[in-house]
């Protein structure tokens, strides 16, 4: 059986939104805060652990946005840059 990982990624995010009853933006805040705090705790004894945790979060968010951009290209032929920038801003600030 060949799995369409793009569909799995998109549908899993949509499922979480529906099951928790939250918007995508609110989901970004909570998931990203959890990821950041988890890495900050793990890296707390390193000299710049908090900055490294933030960098890891930025990298993971960039991967997420690349996957979202690929989906947008498949759906409508272009990337929704406004949504991409908004998601990055919500995540990192």
């Amino acid at each position: 059986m060949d799995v369409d990982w793009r569909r799995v990624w998109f549908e899993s995010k949509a499922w979480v939104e529906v099951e928790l009853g939250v918007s995508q933006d609110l989901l970004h805040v909570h998931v990203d805060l959890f990821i950041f705090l988890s890495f900050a705790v793990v890296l707390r004894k390193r000299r710049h652990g908090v900055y490294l945790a933030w960098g890891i979060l930025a990298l993971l968010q960039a991967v997420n946005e690349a996957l979202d951009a690929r989906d947008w290209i498949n759906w409508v032929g272009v990337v929704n840059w406004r949504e991409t920038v908004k998601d990055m801003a919500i995540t990192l600030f």
Side-chain angles (χ1 to χ4, degrees), residues 13-22:
K13 291 192 322 182
W15 179 83
V16 170
E17 288 175 38
V18 169
E19 290 301 313
L20 294 179
V22 297

Side-chain angles (χ1 to χ4, degrees), residues 21-73:
V22 297
S23 70
Q24 184 179 15
D25 293 341
L26 187 60
L27 190 59
H28 264 274
V29 170
H30 285 90
V31 170
D32 297 334
L33 186 58
F34 173 77
I35 291 169
F36 172 74
L37 290 175
S38 297
F39 278 104
V41 167
V42 169
L43 300 169
R44 73 184 177 274
K45 294 189 179 191
R46 297 191 98 174
R47 183 171 181 192
H48 300 292
V50 70
Y51 299 114
L52 187 54
W54 190 78
I56 292 169
L57 178 64
L59 178 66
L60 292 173
Q61 178 58 23
V63 169
N64 178 54
E65 290 308 316
L67 293 171
D68 286 351
R70 184 184 61 190
D71 287 340
W72 275 101
I73 290 169

